[in-house]
Amino acid sequence: MLWQGRRESENVEDARGSGGGGRIVLGGGIGTVILVVLYLLLGGDPQALFNSQQAQLPQSAQFDNQAPRDGASKFVGVVLADTEDAWNEIFRQMGRQYEEPRLVLFTDLIQSGCGFASGATGPFYCPQDRRVYIDLGFFRQLQERLGAGGDFAEAYVIAHEVGHHVQNLLGITDRVQAARGPSESI
């Protein structure tokens, strides 16, 4: 796939690394697991644990879209730009305005408008904040576990999540949820 040198979307937020504007750092290993289990056994509220971790992050953390980007974030930016171009044209033909989603790159754990999510969740779209979330480690798993690596597979994943955004904009997500009833979720 030829993508180098093409337009990159300005809608990529890179929350990887320290102070990533919402990345939750709990440490790692068995020590963290033991601490969390003890906290819960002693009657602690798990949401309060996450909220206290979030409070330790700089509240004014902003995503610097002008910062140097690595190859992975550039690739994501080009693919997202392609989806923007396509959906802007399709919505224009429908006589509508396309609202471009933001795409957040994260590592390990992040708080979205839909709550906390880990990299184990896989890529996802959150309709509450209209953002696509991707832990780039998922692409490594795609290659290693499924043998489905490479640019095309990665671009497909991004386009698929943007498709959920389009479904949300068109009201399809709400109609599906209403048909399923209040006890089931998407």
Side-chain angles (χ1 to χ4, degrees), residues 17 20 37 44 46 74 101 133 165 169 178 181:
V37 169
K74 287 181 180 182
Y133 292 86
H165 175 66
L169 293 177

Side-chain angles (χ1 to χ4, degrees), residues 118-179:
S118 74
T121 304
F124 67 98
Y125 172 71
C126 174
Q128 280 77 9
D129 63 13
R130 297 185 174 195
R131 283 175 163 73
V132 171
Y133 292 86
I134 297 179
D135 181 336
L136 294 177
F138 175 79
F139 294 144
R140 196 170 37 260
Q141 292 176 4
L142 198 61
Q143 169 66 41
E144 293 170 359
R145 293 186 182 171
L146 302 175
D151 292 348
F152 182 80
E154 295 174 11
Y156 177 85
V157 168
I158 296 165
H160 173 90
E161 296 307 325
V162 171
H164 289 300
H165 175 66
V166 171
Q167 289 175 318
N168 187 46
L169 293 177
L170 295 175
I172 295 168
T173 304
D174 291 338
R175 289 193 302 265
V176 169
Q177 185 63 32

Side-chain angles (χ1 to χ4, degrees), residues 23 70 84 95 97 105 109 135 140 186:
R23 178 173 177 227
D70 61 9
E84 292 166 351
Q97 178 74 31
L105 298 174
L109 187 64
D135 181 336
R140 196 170 37 260
I186 294 178

Side-chain angles (χ1 to χ4, degrees), residues 12-26 47 50-51 53-54 57 61-63 102-126 129 131-136:
V12 176
E13 299 174 355
D14 196 341
R16 299 173 294 167
S18 61
R23 178 173 177 227
I24 308 301
V25 181
L26 291 173
Q47 188 64 40
F50 286 119
N51 288 342
Q53 287 291 320
Q54 183 183 18
L57 295 173
Q62 298 293 318
F63 298 105
R102 305 287 294 176
L103 188 149
V104 180
L105 298 174
F106 72 99
T107 302
D108 299 329
L109 187 64
I110 193 155
Q111 182 175 11
S112 73
C114 297
F116 287 96
S118 74
T121 304
F124 67 98
Y125 172 71
C126 174
D129 63 13
R131 283 175 163 73
V132 171
Y133 292 86
I134 297 179
D135 181 336
L136 294 177

Side-chain angles (χ1 to χ4, degrees), residues 22-43:
R23 178 173 177 227
I24 308 301
V25 181
L26 291 173
I30 192 71
T32 299
V33 172
I34 291 171
L35 287 173
V36 170
V37 169
L38 284 173
Y39 182 79
L40 294 173
L41 288 175
L42 294 172

